[in-house]
Amino acid sequence: MTQLIDKSEKPKPDSVDYSAMPDEHGHFGIYGGIFASETLMQALDELRDAYEKIKTDEAFQKQFDEDLAQYVGRPSPLYFAERLTGQVGGAKIYLKREDLNHTGAHKINNTIGQGLLAKMMGKKRIIAETGAGQHGVASATVAARFGMECIVYMGAEDIVRQAPNVYRMKLLGAKVVAVESGSKTLKDALNEAMRDWVTNVDDTFYIIGTVAGPHPYPAMVRDFQTIIGREAKAQMQEQCGCLPDALVACIGGGSNAIGLFHPFLEDESVAMYGVEGGGLGVDSGKHAAPLCAGSPGVLHGNRTYLMEDENGQIIETHSVSAGLDYPGVGPEHAWLKDIGRANYVAATDDEALEAFHTLTRVEGIIPALESSHAVAYGMKLAATMKPEQRIIINLSGRGDKDINTIAKIEGIEL
Amino acid sequence: MSRIAARFAELKSNARTALIPYVMTGDPSPEITLPLMHAMVEAGADIIELGAPFSDPMADGPVIQAAAERSLVHNTSLHDVFALVSEFRKSDDKTPIVMMGYLNPIEVMGYESFAQQAASCGIDGVITVDMPPVEAADYVPALKSQGLDPIFLLAPTSTEERIKKLADFASGFVYYVSLKGVTGAATLDVTSVEEKMQQIRRFIDLPIGVGFGIGDAESAAKVAGCSDAVVVGSAIVKKMTLNDGKTEQERSIIIKEISDILSAMRSAMDSL
């Protein structure tokens, strides 16, 4: 974490039409696109057409809004963290409480949307990949509610790290398949889910949990998640009569971050910080921070920043948080980085763990390890800002699922 | 005329169907691939499909993915593939070689640099699984300018519109993936393959190879009856798990097993 407020040297574009992105083939500048095998193309075309239809379909949007309100429990509060602000001594810190959603994270916003779409397309079977298990739980939840079969692919290593969520998915009726290939984490689960989809394309809907994958996923998942930013904007207006000065969100694939950022992209005064998993430190090489320390490449159907070696092989990532342990990132973030609209930074495992404890003790809110990265950076950022300024940290999920991991790291037997 | 075109012309004049085995470079050991390639030609292979490993082979099943993992233990890179083909060309200047892999290693090398090096070592065609025509505006000219054939896949789900689009880009041959699913999946239905081949032939005037689900001499012969080439991958890659291929003796066990499979396929295909 070197420059806290990065007034980047790159010129901020004067006239970027953020709402026009991506283009019809899913490109955000050079990023995004549809880099998928021919065997998937028909399914992607079908999905794109269905998605284009529901974007302007009033009945669908009404159902989506209703489900978010009555089932998910939205709007989620925008909470002024007064004690944390006092302790940090700087900008006022607000928390967007996605942890209070049904199932405990922002992931449900997207699975409700894709679940409704699956139902509309007449698909009977849902598949999903999951890292921390939050997206798997959110998918299993939606499948239970809609009476669909649900298969969740999860890296064998993540299954160990996130045992409570695995049990939760099973309780919800999902089948959890352990993925033993590659690094046995999120990226391998995604590979496996794609293989399932290619094989069972007729009756199966693949719910991708983040803003990655081939078009239309990055745009579609973003659009389902922008409820976060739209609410936060209105809530800040209502509470303070102004825009926030900065937004902070953690980034694995980047869905909670884009959900918060996107409705503010045209508000130039609002700075944005995406916080990647810094692992043992970006300089150590053991991290999950492709935007901070990776390079452009093609993986999982889109062009984006990747953690890769000089031969183009994807390298294993490290983060204490399973949800951030991914070697790529959503293509829109890659583009926002290049044009200088958003800043991408990292918080290390240790910083995240410290922030986890701080928030828990000072505000009585147990954050997910993923979200703890945003809290860690947000506190540092706030300390450099003036008391009349305001930042929103996206508290993307709650930390109950992580207590076993934390206890283990700290040598405590439960 | 390219080696691929020359080979298909020669096969056509003899009324034969091409047999195309797929092996992964450096699987299970770096030393095995060169002698294996020569042995496969000896056993009746007309074209060799040479895999370049990728850490995340999304379109492949467990057999090919495991092959990539075994190859990557030796850090096999595109440079190793080029070096291998250069060696092969010292004693075989006729058998076409098609490299098959994923985009990212090529992307990192740069399309032009890749094409130049691939052509100069003696590679004839390139299949990049996750590079569809819609993204190929820079990729195809880069390959073609070096005389490399960009070879694309078609699937049972390919629409007429995409088959037509492919006709503008593809050269060498077209690879028809005969099953929904990943490599090494279930067995194939020859009747549905035949129907799709007729549709493809209406729009594309290139030889058509069929792969996915061809595991033995019988299925190879059936597919040979309706296609220009039979691609066999997982069935022979499975043999790479017999041993580590570290010693001469270990390698010869694997090479013999694979040669036997190909010889059986070859004679079944030729006795049609």
Side-chain angles (χ1 to χ4, degrees):
Chain A
M1 266 195 230
T2 44
Q3 266 179 296
L4 282 171
I5 300 190
D6 174 23
K7 291 291 175 202
S8 179
E9 314 78 54
K10 284 171 201 159
K12 291 232 164 73
D14 295 330
S15 58
V16 178
D17 184 0
Y18 295 100
S19 65
M21 300 302 253
D23 72 12
E24 62 167 326
H25 295 300
H27 296 114
F28 300 89
I30 64 164
Y31 301 104
I34 312 174
F35 294 92
S37 81
E38 179 62 24
T39 47
L40 266 183
M41 284 298 172
Q42 180 60 22
L44 290 169
D45 282 354
E46 187 193 15
L47 179 62
R48 188 198 56 207
D49 292 348
Y51 179 60
E52 287 300 325
K53 207 184 283 171
I54 56 114
K55 257 163 65 173
T56 52
D57 184 284
E58 269 178 43
F60 182 95
Q61 296 299 337
K62 186 164 167 277
Q63 182 69 52
F64 181 54
D65 291 344
E66 255 177 50
D67 281 4
L68 289 182
Q70 307 301 334
Y71 188 70
V72 176
R74 301 202 73 93
S76 69
L78 181 71
Y79 166 71
F80 174 44
E82 196 170 358
R83 290 234 307 144
L84 187 68
T85 300
Q87 178 162 327
V88 169
K92 295 184 179 64
I93 299 172
Y94 290 77
L95 304 175
K96 180 62 175 158
R97 298 291 308 275
E98 292 298 300
D99 60 316
L100 293 178
N101 292 338
H102 179 43
T103 74
H106 73 290
K107 293 290 186 188
I108 190 89
N109 303 328
N110 169 48
T111 58
I112 289 282
Q114 291 197 50
L116 283 171
L117 186 55
K119 202 173 136 193
M120 196 190 84
M121 292 171 76
K123 305 287 184 183
K124 304 268 184 286
R125 183 173 175 271
I126 277 174
I127 57 170
E129 85 294 338
T130 197
Q134 293 301 95
H135 174 58
V137 167
S139 298
T141 299
V142 166
R145 179 163 175 255
F146 292 145
M148 295 171 176
E149 186 189 354
C150 181
I151 318 283
V152 179
Y153 291 93
M154 189 166 184
E157 190 180 314
D158 291 338
I159 285 183
V160 175
R161 288 197 280 191
Q162 304 288 339
N165 268 345
V166 174
Y167 185 54
R168 216 165 271 148
M169 286 183 265
K170 288 181 179 165
L171 287 174
L172 288 160
K175 185 178 160 204
V176 180
V177 179
V179 178
E180 299 281 355
S181 58
S183 58
K184 303 176 189 180
T185 60
L186 180 55
K187 79 173 175 77
D188 309 288
L190 216 150
N191 290 334
E192 213 54 45
M194 282 281 181
R195 292 184 183 121
D196 180 316
W197 198 29
V198 173
T199 312
N200 302 295
V201 68
D202 293 335
D203 68 341
T204 298
F205 190 102
Y206 179 19
I207 302 188
I208 292 188
T210 192
V211 285
H215 183 62
Y217 283 103
M220 177 171 70
V221 176
R222 173 197 70 195
D223 291 350
F224 289 139
Q225 290 291 3
T226 52
I227 184 70
I228 302 171
R230 283 184 277 128
E231 278 179 11
K233 199 170 182 176
Q235 288 165 322
M236 186 56 93
Q237 193 65 37
E238 196 182 300
Q239 291 179 28
C240 317
C242 63
L243 286 167
D245 296 283
L247 308 173
V248 183
C250 66
I251 299 211
S255 69
N256 89 78
I258 209 77
L260 177 64
F261 293 177
H262 199 265
F264 291 94
L265 284 173
E266 285 171 19
D267 301 305
E268 277 177 38
S269 65
V270 181
M272 299 175 185
Y273 297 86
V275 187
E276 298 191 294
L280 305 181
V282 169
D283 297 334
S284 73
K286 292 191 180 309
H287 58 83
L291 287 166
C292 292
S295 51
V298 172
L299 178 69
H300 292 151
N302 66 100
R303 184 179 285 120
T304 188
Y305 279 84
L306 299 175
M307 301 273 294
E308 58 189 345
D309 68 14
E310 71 281 6
N311 293 320
Q313 305 296 341
I314 306 308
I315 53 182
E316 290 188 14
T317 50
H318 169 84
S319 172
V320 68
S321 138
L324 302 188
D325 218 347
Y326 179 65
V329 62
E332 192 162 11
H333 287 296
W335 176 65
L336 291 173
K337 173 190 160 78
D338 279 12
I339 65 168
R341 178 62 187 95
N343 307 286
Y344 295 93
V345 295
T348 63
D349 288 353
D350 287 346
E351 288 170 328
L353 286 165
E354 198 188 323
F356 172 92
H357 286 296
T358 303
L359 190 67
T360 301
R361 296 297 287 268
V362 175
E363 291 288 351
I365 296 170
I366 302 178
L369 269 176
E370 291 77 16
S371 320
S372 300
H373 288 72
V375 175
Y377 189 81
M379 290 193 303
K380 284 205 176 186
L381 177 68
T384 69
M385 295 167 70
K386 299 188 193 96
E388 63 271 24
Q389 291 184 297
R390 293 175 175 82
I391 73 168
I392 297 176
I393 299 173
N394 202 11
L395 207 64
S396 55
R398 67 177 183 220
D400 309 46
K401 70 180 174 62
D402 294 313
I403 56 173
N404 292 343
T405 307
I406 308 259
K408 197 177 160 200
I409 291 170
E410 297 176 351
I412 295 160
E413 213 161 304
L414 293 179
Chain B
M1 195 188 279
S2 74
R3 283 191 201 96
I4 293 175
R7 178 53 49 98
F8 275 109
E10 178 194 329
L11 285 161
K12 197 174 180 185
S13 67
N14 297 324
R16 290 175 84 206
T17 304
L19 177 59
I20 309 182
Y22 166 95
V23 290
M24 177 69 77
T25 308
D27 171 32
S29 68
E31 298 80 18
I32 196 171
T33 315
L34 181 65
L36 176 61
M37 288 166 77
H38 287 305
M40 291 194 302
V41 173
E42 193 72 22
D46 299 294
I47 295 172
I48 290 173
E49 222 174 85
L50 194 55
F54 182 50
S55 51
D56 292 79
M58 235 167 49
D60 285 298
V63 173
I64 305 293
Q65 173 164 35
E69 286 179 8
R70 287 191 297 269
S71 171
L72 286 172
V73 167
H74 310 292
N75 291 317
T76 309
S77 70
L78 289 179
H79 297 290
D80 298 311
V81 177
F82 299 154
L84 171 67
V85 176
S86 292
E87 273 306 302
F88 178 81
R89 284 279 170 251
K90 285 180 183 168
S91 49
D92 186 333
D93 195 36
K94 283 237 160 56
T95 307
I97 293 177
V98 173
M99 192 193 100
M100 183 165 186
Y102 288 77
L103 183 59
N104 201 49
I106 298 174
E107 179 102 352
V108 166
M109 184 173 274
Y111 297 163
E112 270 151 36
S113 171
F114 165 78
Q116 191 264 323
Q117 294 179 71
S120 73
C121 75
I123 288 172
D124 303 289
V126 182
I127 304 172
T128 304
V129 181
D130 52 350
M131 172 53 99
V134 66
E135 297 284 356
D138 298 329
Y139 164 88
V140 164
L143 294 191
K144 285 188 173 171
S145 72
Q146 296 292 331
L148 293 165
D149 287 321
I151 294 161
F152 286 95
L153 307 182
L154 283 172
T157 49
S158 297
T159 55
E160 195 168 301
E161 190 194 341
R162 273 204 311 280
I163 296 171
K164 281 181 189 164
K165 198 173 282 173
L166 202 65
D168 303 335
F169 282 105
S171 65
F173 64 97
V174 168
Y175 185 164
Y176 177 62
V177 171
S178 50
L179 285 173
K180 282 182 195 168
V182 293
T183 50
T187 48
L188 83 173
D189 166 11
V190 178
T191 319
S192 65
V193 172
E194 276 173 352
E195 282 168 18
K196 196 73 188 181
M197 301 292 274
Q198 282 170 15
Q199 187 193 15
I200 297 170
R201 286 207 163 98
R202 280 209 298 279
F203 304 104
I204 299 181
D205 188 26
L206 286 172
I208 304 173
V210 175
F212 282 35
I214 298 162
D216 54 21
E218 193 191 348
S219 53
K222 276 187 193 160
V223 170
C226 66
S227 70
D228 304 301
V230 173
V231 184
V232 51
S234 298
I236 59 178
V237 172
K238 275 179 192 158
K239 298 295 174 192
M240 304 300 183
T241 57
L242 287 171
N243 59 55
D244 294 336
K246 282 192 181 130
T247 65
E248 187 79 43
Q249 196 196 355
E250 283 179 332
R251 292 194 283 277
S252 67
I253 292 169
I254 291 176
I255 290 171
K256 168 140 195 335
E257 290 265 347
I258 291 173
S259 297
D260 288 350
I261 293 174
L262 293 177
S263 301
M265 287 182 169
R266 180 79 268 169
S267 54
M269 286 162 63
D270 290 349
S271 64
L272 283 176

